[in-house]
């Protein structure tokens, strides 16, 4: 069965610092992987996705993520965090035979000035 | 841009009431989803619809039902609301076969409080 683990419930960084949010997945074949962001009181917005090709994918708002098959990971990174990045981030995995996604439990990012 | 709208941002209901949450998408997507979001639990799928009048139970369907009479509209129904259904409810849509590749598109959510 597919599953997604986000080991960090809450992360705090200073504005301007670099950021890495961890995501590990469990899936037998090549997964489809997503990162979503949810600002307070809002729905989820797609940041980036991976389904084939280059394992380093670029997304919106200056985010990137790297797919590492050997580690079953798809970590989200940003070189310099802005206060507006404070939000909750969800990793999700999909499979080619279904339109459903499995979501992780989320990581809440807090940014200090 | 894909637009998914939900009928209410905030809703307060009493225990035992019948509650309707409405979701509309404007991208002619075949798939529509209802999720429940609770702190520490992430998003959990309640129901999924892949076509008009077609539905499939998700991970936590107990206490809920759904209706999809038109392609663009997907309703979540709480037949008799209970306090443990106080939560954030998110609707999403995707094209048939497009979910794995393009992901799902989400509405802004409805925060339901049951007193």
């Amino acid at each position: 069965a597919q599953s997604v683990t986000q080991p960090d419930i809450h992360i705090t960084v200073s504005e301007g610092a670099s950021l890495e949010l961890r995501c590990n997945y469990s899936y037998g074949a090549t997964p489809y992987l997503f990162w979503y962001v949810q600002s307070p009181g809002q729905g989820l917005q797609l940041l980036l996705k991976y389904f084939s090709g280059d394992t380093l994918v670029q997304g919106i708002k200056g985010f990137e993520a790297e797919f590492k098959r050997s580690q079953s990971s798809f970590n989200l990174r940003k070189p310099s965090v802005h206060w507006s990045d404070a939000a909750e981030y969800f990793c999700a995995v999909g499979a080619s035979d279904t339109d459903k996604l499995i979501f992780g439990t989320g990581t809440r990012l807090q940014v200090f000035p | 841009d894909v637009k998914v709208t939900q009928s209410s941002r905030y809703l307060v209901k009493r225990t035992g009431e019948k509650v309707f949450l409405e979701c509309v998408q404007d991208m002619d997507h075949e798939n529509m989803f209802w999720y429940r979001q609770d702190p520490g639990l992430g998003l959990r799928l309640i129901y999924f619809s892949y076509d008009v009048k077609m539905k499939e139970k998700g991970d936590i369907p107990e206490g809920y039902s759904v209706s999809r009479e038109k392609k663009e509209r997907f309703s979540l129904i709480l037949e008799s609301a209970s306090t443990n259904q106080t939560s954030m409810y998110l609707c999403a849509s995707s094209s048939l076969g497009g979910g794995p590749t393009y992901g799902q598109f989400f509405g802004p959510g409805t925060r339901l409080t049951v007193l």
Side-chain angles (χ1 to χ4, degrees):
Chain A
Q2 301 165 61
S3 66
V4 178
T5 302
Q6 293 181 248
D8 304 305
I9 296 172
H10 187 199
I11 283 184
T12 302
V13 299
S14 298
E15 192 169 19
S18 63
L19 172 71
E20 183 169 28
L21 302 183
R22 296 183 291 166
C23 173
N24 293 99
Y25 68 89
S26 173
Y27 183 61
T30 299
Y32 295 77
L33 294 159
F34 305 86
W35 275 101
Y36 284 86
V37 60
Q38 184 182 35
S39 298
Q42 303 297 315
L44 275 67
Q45 181 184 18
L46 183 65
L47 276 178
L48 49 77
K49 58 185 183 285
Y50 170 81
F51 56 93
S52 67
D54 194 346
T55 56
L56 184 64
V57 294
Q58 303 296 322
I60 62 171
K61 306 186 183 200
F63 285 91
E64 66 178 29
E66 187 171 12
F67 171 59
K68 292 186 176 179
R69 185 189 302 275
S70 61
Q71 298 177 21
S72 297
S73 69
F74 188 57
N75 294 349
L76 182 70
R77 301 194 296 244
K78 187 169 185 178
S80 177
V81 170
H82 188 260
W83 64 266
S84 60
D85 293 324
E88 188 149 24
Y89 292 80
F90 292 92
C91 182
V93 63
S96 58
D97 60 347
T98 175
D99 285 325
K100 292 188 279 189
L101 297 179
I102 304 296
F103 287 84
T105 52
T107 297
R108 180 165 297 280
L109 174 66
Q110 198 169 4
V111 180
F112 280 113
Chain B
D1 275 356
V2 176
K3 193 151 190 179
V4 180
T5 57
Q6 296 183 230
S7 51
S8 306
R9 293 301 301 276
Y10 300 93
L11 209 52
V12 179
K13 296 292 182 181
R14 297 210 174 271
T15 301
E17 279 192 79
K18 190 169 186 175
V19 181
F20 292 86
L21 303 183
E22 305 284 341
C23 175
V24 177
Q25 51 93 6
D26 66 358
M27 281 302 291
D28 202 35
H29 282 166
E30 292 81 6
N31 298 323
M32 296 188 75
F33 306 82
W34 275 108
Y35 293 93
R36 172 176 171 157
Q37 182 183 11
D38 298 289
L41 297 177
L43 276 70
R44 293 179 292 168
L45 182 65
I46 305 172
Y47 266 99
F48 161 47
S49 170
Y50 49 93
D51 201 352
V52 174
K53 297 190 187 295
M54 306 303 286
K55 62 186 179 185
E56 187 177 304
K57 290 181 180 178
D59 300 317
I60 53 163
E62 297 78 19
Y64 303 94
S65 62
V66 291
S67 172
R68 188 142 180 228
E69 298 294 322
K70 293 186 177 181
K71 190 175 186 179
E72 67 271 18
R73 187 179 297 270
F74 191 34
S75 302
L76 180 69
I77 303 156
L78 287 65
E79 295 290 342
S80 177
S82 64
T83 55
N84 62 13
Q85 293 177 309
T86 291
S87 188
M88 171 74 110
Y89 290 88
L90 293 167
C91 176
S93 73
S94 72
S95 59
L96 189 66
T101 308
Y102 304 109
Q104 297 172 9
F105 297 86
F106 282 82
T110 295
R111 185 165 293 282
L112 173 67
T113 302
V114 183
L115 302 175

